[in-house]
């Protein structure tokens, strides 16, 4: 699933988490973006004030039920309109999640056993959209033993993935699945996945259903397998720009097209994954300052990035 997501990192290779730091406020408009920007009390207060304004009037219960019941239809409509025109391939994934470059990992590990080298590496991407994560993974891992499962609860999105010339049933399998539903129909067994990718997808489902979704996903991880997570953070520019009347509940909003988005804190992310029995190996708030130098406008972006592993032993 993808919507008004601005690329979390530039679509090129760069050191993890960026390298341009703002040390002198007088230089703020000399570049288009700054990495790891510190938030002071004034910025936090300003953000809280904006949230109080845009959450004064909640969406009616009737409409909230509609957005919940018809969530897949709103995403179908979204993909029907945008198809492949809206998206950029997420090649930045291999900077933020180098684990997904299995060719590089295997070549760097001279001690890897023949058994390990021959066994298939199973990856699942949840909320695959039109394949902007799937296909870079397949292209990067040509000649490897990587197999990618990818799902979305939009039938249109899945059909777009399957119609892509790069789609190879010998290396990937795309299917429709709503991870917030009680029953799943998936083409793999429990304890069979090496990686599960959750990039700007968990935020699209009802917060009340997030824990049960993570609990189920954790069951499909192998021992030592990891969930790779990246999503919107609390106080992100997108959250602060919502108009009053679009708020469903705290930090959960509906866009004009009917799709929904939640904004996480680090604590909320950690609680979700640790409650599912997973162990934190990374948890990071990526805070960037993007600027419009022509209009002298500052835009603060916040994404939460995390990695959680299924323990090797209980």
């Amino acid at each position: 699933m993808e919507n008004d997501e601005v690329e979390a990192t530039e679509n090129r290779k760069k050191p993890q988490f960026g390298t341009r730091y703002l040390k002198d406020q007088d230089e703020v408009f000399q570049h288009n973006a700054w990495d790891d920007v510190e938030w002071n009390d004034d910025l936090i207060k300003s953000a809280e004030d904006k949230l109080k304004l845009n959450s004064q009037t909640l969406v009616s219960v009737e409409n909230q039920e509609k957005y919940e019941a018809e969530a897949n239809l709103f995403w179908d409509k979204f993909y029907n309109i945008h198809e492949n025109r809206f998206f950029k391939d997420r090649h930045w994934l291999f900077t933020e999640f180098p684990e997904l470059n299995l060719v590089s990992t295997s070549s760097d590990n001279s001690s890897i056993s023949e058994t390990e080298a021959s066994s298939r590496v199973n990856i699942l991407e949840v909320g695959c959209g039109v394949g902007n994560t799937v296909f870079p993974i397949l292209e990067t891992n040509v000649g490897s033993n990587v197999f990618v499962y990818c799902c979305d609860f939009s039938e249109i999105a899945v059909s777009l993935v399957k119609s892509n010339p790069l789609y190879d049933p010998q290396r990937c399998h795309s299917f429709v699945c709503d991870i917030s539903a009680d029953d799943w129909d998936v083409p793999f067994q429990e304890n069979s996945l090496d990686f599960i990718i959750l990039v700007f997808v968990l935020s699209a489902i009802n917060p009340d259903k997030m824990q049960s979704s993570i609990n189920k996903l954790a069951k499909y991880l192998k021992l030592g397998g990891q969930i790779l997570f990246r999503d919107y953070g609390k106080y992100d520019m997108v959250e602060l720009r919502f108009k009053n009347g679009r708020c469903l509940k705290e930090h959960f909003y509906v866009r004009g097209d009917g799709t929904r988005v939640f904004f996480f804190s680090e604590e909320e992310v950690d609680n979700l994954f640790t409650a599912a029995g997973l162990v934190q190996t990374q948890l990071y708030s990526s805070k960037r300052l993007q600027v419009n130098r022509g209009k002298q406008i500052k835009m603060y972006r916040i994404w939460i990035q995390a990695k959680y592993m299924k323990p090797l032993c209980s």
Side-chain angles (χ1 to χ4, degrees):
M1 294 175 221
E2 307 173 56
N3 199 295
D4 62 349
E5 172 195 342
V6 177
E7 285 298 321
T9 52
E10 293 177 11
N11 191 20
R12 59 180 174 84
K13 285 282 185 178
K14 67 178 185 62
Q16 196 170 21
F17 304 136
T19 57
R20 182 175 290 139
Y21 306 111
L22 180 61
K23 298 179 180 179
D24 184 348
Q25 289 294 329
D26 292 336
E27 298 178 354
V28 65
F29 293 109
Q30 290 187 13
H31 298 283
N32 293 326
W34 301 91
D35 300 298
D36 289 347
V37 176
E38 294 292 333
W39 276 58
N40 57 31
D41 291 341
D42 289 339
L43 273 177
I44 295 173
K45 183 180 184 305
S46 175
E48 289 286 357
D49 289 344
K50 290 177 181 177
L51 292 184
K52 287 178 182 178
L53 290 175
N54 76 12
S55 61
Q56 284 180 331
T57 305
L58 297 182
V59 175
S60 69
V61 174
E62 180 182 3
N63 281 333
Q64 290 209 35
E65 292 175 350
K66 176 183 178 181
Y67 293 129
E68 177 71 16
E70 301 179 9
N72 62 319
L73 299 180
F74 287 112
W75 282 101
D76 277 343
K77 182 178 179 180
F78 172 79
Y79 287 115
N80 258 328
I81 293 172
H82 295 286
E83 294 187 346
N84 292 318
R85 295 185 296 274
F86 180 80
F87 311 100
K88 293 180 180 179
D89 286 343
R90 292 164 164 167
H91 292 285
W92 55 265
L93 279 170
F94 307 106
T95 299
E96 307 301 346
F97 301 123
E99 299 90 343
L100 297 176
N101 188 342
L102 276 301
V103 172
S104 173
T105 302
S106 298
S107 63
D108 292 342
N109 187 0
S110 57
S111 64
I112 191 169
S113 69
E114 290 184 10
T115 301
E116 290 173 318
S118 61
S119 62
R120 194 170 82 172
V121 176
N122 294 314
I123 298 174
L124 167 66
E125 187 196 9
V126 180
C128 62
V130 298
N132 302 90
T133 293
V134 172
F135 297 121
I137 290 176
L138 293 176
E139 288 181 297
T140 299
N141 290 287
V142 170
S144 72
N145 54 359
V146 171
F147 190 93
V148 181
Y149 297 99
C150 56
C151 67
D152 202 290
F153 74 165
S154 166
E155 293 184 6
I156 301 298
V158 170
S159 68
L160 288 169
V161 170
K162 290 183 175 180
S163 66
N164 193 301
L166 295 175
Y167 185 77
D168 180 0
Q170 299 300 313
R171 302 183 64 211
C172 60
H173 177 75
S174 183
F175 61 101
V176 177
C177 181
D178 178 3
I179 65 164
S180 68
D182 293 332
D183 299 315
W184 295 3
D185 182 14
V186 296
F188 41 78
Q189 302 296 316
E190 292 186 3
N191 303 302
S192 66
L193 300 176
D194 295 274
F195 297 101
I196 296 175
I197 303 170
L198 290 173
V199 174
F200 295 104
V201 57
L202 195 63
S203 56
I205 71 175
N206 193 317
D208 295 340
K209 297 183 177 181
M210 288 181 183
Q211 188 64 67
S212 62
S213 300
I214 297 299
N215 291 347
K216 291 178 186 176
L217 286 172
K219 293 180 179 180
Y220 290 99
L221 277 177
K222 293 179 181 178
L223 298 181
Q226 291 192 80
I227 290 183
L228 309 178
F229 174 89
R230 192 170 175 90
D231 220 318
Y232 294 101
K234 187 171 72 170
Y235 301 152
D236 181 71
M237 173 188 75
V238 174
E239 180 178 24
L240 303 185
R241 285 185 171 181
F242 275 102
K243 302 297 184 183
N244 188 34
R246 308 303 301 180
C247 186
L248 300 160
K249 59 179 68 175
E250 189 175 20
H251 301 298
F252 191 40
Y253 296 82
V254 61
R255 304 181 180 94
D257 61 8
T259 61
R260 299 171 299 174
V261 58
F262 183 80
F263 298 85
F264 296 90
S265 68
E266 288 186 24
E267 182 180 9
E268 286 166 330
V269 170
D270 193 56
N271 288 340
L272 283 169
F273 290 108
T274 55
L278 303 179
V279 177
Q280 180 198 128
T281 60
Q282 182 188 78
L283 181 59
Y284 180 87
S285 290
S286 179
K287 299 178 180 179
R288 298 194 90 209
L289 171 58
Q290 297 175 342
V291 300
N292 184 319
R293 289 190 281 178
K295 297 182 179 179
Q296 301 280 287
I297 296 175
K298 300 177 184 179
M299 298 166 286
Y300 291 91
R301 304 307 314 269
I302 301 178
W303 300 283
I304 307 293
Q305 180 164 308
K307 301 176 185 180
Y308 283 83
M309 183 182 72
K310 190 169 186 175
L312 291 171
C313 57
S314 57

